[in-house]
Amino acid sequence: MDENKQAQLKMLPGVDRILEYGADGGHFDPIPKSVLIPAIRAAIDALRSQILQSEIPLDSSCFSRSLLVREVKARAGRIMALKLKRTVNATGVVVHTNLGRSLLSPSVLEHLTAISSRYSNLEFDLEAGRRGSRYSAVEGILCELSGARAAMVVNNNAAAVLLCLDTLATGREVIVSRGELVEIGGAFRIPEVMAKSGAILKEVGATNRTHPRDYENAIGEQTGLLLKAHTSNYSIVGFTAAVSLPDLVSIGRRHGIPVMEDLGSGTLVDLSKYGLTREPTVQESLAAGVDVVTFSGDKLLGGPQAGIILGGKPHIDRIKANPLTRALRIDKMTLAALEATLQLYRDEQQAVHQIPTLRMLTLPLTVIQARAAELKSRLERVSGERLTVELLDFSSKAGGGSLPMLDLPSRCLGITVGGISANAIERWMRNSNPPIIGRIENDRFIMDPRTLQEEESDIIEKAFADMLADRTQGR
Ligand SMILES: *Cc1c(COP(=O)(O)O)cnc(C)c1O
């Protein structure tokens, strides 16, 4: 090693010295010791590597007090930054599982905050003055809205399916159409959940066609349940046949076998009224006579993550008595958010306007067009000639495995910037604070205004201005 490098390595301050630098002026006071020491060590290590790697001796300013203090503070800040970050969703995918699915509306947050920051009657019956059931907060309203006789909620819909199968069909056969052996994201597959529940899968029919006689022929001594799974994230088209829920219910009735439906996305509102494709509603499933139906709280319902189980009282009572219920139980924050979300459904118009998921799904194209035009002119204003914005008639997606075939007409911004590739724009936006998530198509950075929230245009405008300023400095 050359002498210069050795001399510089000797100049490296130790931890104590940097602590002294920071103590002067109280720079490190807000940083917990558990973070400060590792941050200082990391700063020293970084400087050491710089010395070792540099061709020429480092400038003495690299060893200055102020620079070292700033470096330590920056590192401590990065260590302490919360990992879960509020993110701008410019993908146009409304129920985006990777970005947190449904957003909660302000009235829901108010209830959630009140219930979780204070004691509550979570499991206390205020009238009787004794222990109560945590499910009673939502059971009544779920029955009222859906027409079910009884209701139960757990952590998520995957848990709901597991719990129902475990309760109703452990050790027995569950008949499912081959066209409905769904896999959804995150490795939830009907056959595997079935195996975990101890139920035995009995597939019937073909991938594209299943007939009533397929179920009839498969029913035997061992049959415990007929299961219909909503093919929520795919669609089988062409030469197809499936047995409708009412037909499946009548087969079940004839043989005295319960029928369960996993609706997946599960909506309480007939979305076709708002120009979307028809999804079967929860009410329709119950009216068709299904014994048990399950669906997610945070997909089309637009509430918190939860798994909702509705059905007849005898079945729901058995489900409630299953010891697994305790392991899958829903937390008070979720319960509060779910109750407040359900309240909004008492008035459908209110639900559609106030529940962000429904509002974004039903957003009129004219509103999206206006937002796109406004964002375009704002970006052009801050960025001048270098940035080109095209308005593109692309479509948005419902996401979350809901309405797979539905393209929601939208108007997207397609952005190109001279000297910066689409990949580089995407990366810059993703690493901005808060991160902005868009997508790339045909070498353009695409942003869909459908999923942007209030004041997020400001965030986007600033991120683009910062990116251009950074790139103009030639970095
Ligand atoms: C989404 C989905 C599930 C899982 O629901 P989570 O609430 O994500 O656990 C199960 N079944 C179907 C058909 C689904 O679409």
Side-chain angles (χ1 to χ4, degrees):
M1 198 187 313
D2 70 46
E3 281 168 29
N4 280 331
K5 280 196 179 177
Q6 289 203 342
Q8 288 215 314
L9 287 174
K10 286 214 181 91
M11 280 167 65
L12 273 176
V15 173
D16 287 340
R17 177 104 60 83
I18 297 185
L19 277 173
E20 277 165 30
Y21 291 171
D24 223 9
H27 290 293
F28 295 159
D29 289 355
I31 307 172
K33 272 271 168 349
S34 62
V35 173
L36 183 57
I37 304 301
I40 292 177
R41 293 217 169 95
I44 298 172
D45 287 347
L47 195 52
R48 181 180 299 113
S49 322
Q50 251 184 307
I51 296 171
L52 292 172
Q53 277 158 22
S54 171
E55 304 270 312
I56 47 164
L58 297 190
D59 190 88
S60 64
S61 67
C62 294
F63 298 85
S64 82
R65 267 169 188 253
S66 61
L67 195 80
L68 283 164
V69 167
R70 188 142 47 96
E71 176 68 16
V72 168
K73 278 165 74 177
R75 283 176 186 272
R78 285 202 292 276
I79 294 172
M80 290 197 293
L82 295 175
K83 298 299 173 277
L84 216 41
K85 291 182 164 64
R86 168 263 167 98
T87 298
V88 175
N89 176 6
T91 65
V93 179
V94 178
V95 183
H96 198 306
T97 297
N98 301 152
L99 302 182
R101 287 199 182 160
S102 285
L103 313 182
L104 302 179
S105 68
S107 67
V108 171
L109 284 179
E110 218 172 276
H111 190 48
L112 180 133
T113 309
I115 294 302
S116 51
S117 60
R118 294 289 185 265
Y119 291 110
S120 66
N121 60 337
L122 180 65
E123 287 188 0
F124 188 70
D125 182 334
L126 290 172
E127 255 172 62
R130 57 176 144 76
R131 189 178 175 172
S133 153
R134 74 170 53 209
Y135 306 107
S136 57
V138 290
E139 199 168 357
I141 190 165
L142 278 169
C143 292
E144 175 197 317
L145 295 171
S146 68
R149 289 294 172 81
M152 166 72 191
V153 283
V154 289
N155 244 323
N156 55 25
N157 186 38
V161 173
L162 175 70
L163 180 62
C164 292
L165 292 174
D166 185 86
T167 310
L168 303 174
T170 244
R172 314 200 65 191
E173 286 177 358
V174 177
I175 304 180
V176 191
S177 160
R178 287 203 168 86
E180 297 172 6
L181 294 173
V182 187
E183 169 179 321
I184 56 158
F188 175 94
R189 284 181 174 174
I190 290 280
E192 284 157 23
V193 174
M194 191 91 68
K196 279 283 175 215
S197 73
I200 302 151
L201 171 66
K202 183 144 186 167
E203 306 171 25
V204 296
T207 305
N208 58 332
R209 290 172 73 82
T210 302
H211 308 281
R213 62 171 186 277
D214 294 320
Y215 289 94
E216 299 268 9
N217 294 341
I219 290 175
E221 280 291 289
Q222 279 308 304
T223 310
L225 187 71
L226 305 182
L227 173 66
K228 191 165 183 62
H230 182 48
T231 57
S232 56
N233 53 1
Y234 63 100
S235 188
I236 297 179
V237 295
F239 184 53
T240 64
V243 177
S244 71
L245 187 66
D247 289 347
L248 198 61
V249 167
S250 67
I251 296 171
R253 292 267 159 83
R254 236 178 310 147
H255 295 268
I257 297 168
V259 176
M260 166 177 160
E261 182 173 38
D262 171 15
L263 261 182
S265 38
T267 174
L268 289 171
V269 172
D270 175 4
L271 295 169
S272 65
K273 281 195 253 170
Y274 302 91
L276 308 187
T277 29
R278 259 194 70 71
E279 273 271 291
T281 64
V282 173
Q283 295 90 321
E284 284 163 4
S285 295
L286 288 158
V290 76
D291 293 286
V292 176
V293 59
T294 70
F295 56 98
S296 282
D298 57 354
K299 290 184 181 171
L300 294 181
L301 192 74
Q305 178 187 302
I308 298 166
I309 309 172
L310 304 177
K313 194 151 165 26
H315 293 303
I316 300 288
D317 282 346
R318 280 180 65 202
I319 290 166
K320 284 181 182 165
N322 186 330
L324 252 188
T325 297
R326 176 63 179 79
L328 306 175
R329 114 181 155 181
I330 167 176
D331 151 79
K332 67 181 176 210
M333 291 190 271
T334 310
L335 201 58
L338 183 61
E339 183 190 13
T341 303
L342 291 169
Q343 285 287 343
L344 297 172
Y345 278 97
R346 288 217 159 102
D347 173 351
E348 185 177 307
Q349 287 307 315
Q350 180 178 261
V352 170
H353 287 123
Q354 293 191 24
I355 295 175
T357 295
L358 295 183
R359 188 175 57 228
M360 286 185 267
L361 284 171
T362 59
L363 207 60
L365 181 57
T366 48
V367 173
I368 301 177
Q369 287 168 334
R371 282 193 198 170
E374 206 236 8
L375 188 53
K376 174 178 166 27
S377 58
R378 284 179 69 158
L379 291 180
E380 285 169 345
R381 200 161 354 108
V382 295
S383 59
E385 304 273 280
R386 269 181 84 194
L387 180 139
T388 313
V389 185
E390 289 163 271
L391 293 176
L392 305 161
D393 290 329
F394 286 175
S395 40
S396 324
K397 286 280 184 193
S402 326
L403 309 163
M405 302 302 281
L406 175 67
D407 284 325
L408 297 162
S410 191
R411 178 153 297 173
C412 296
L413 285 81
I415 296 169
T416 42
V417 182
I420 308 180
S421 70
N423 279 315
I425 301 175
E426 189 275 336
R427 203 176 326 118
W428 179 280
M429 293 301 146
R430 181 157 39 82
N431 291 312
S432 292
N433 185 21
I436 298 164
I437 310 299
R439 65 179 195 272
I440 296 174
E441 258 178 62
N442 296 331
D443 293 326
R444 288 173 181 77
F445 180 66
I446 309 289
M447 294 193 292
D448 187 333
R450 182 185 297 273
T451 44
L452 296 179
Q453 309 303 305
E454 259 175 73
E455 102 290 330
E456 289 185 341
S457 300
D458 298 344
I459 295 172
I460 292 171
E461 182 182 321
K462 180 168 182 313
F464 273 94
D466 289 349
M467 179 181 78
L468 291 168
D470 182 84
R471 292 308 173 106
T472 311
Q473 284 162 13
R475 277 215 283 154

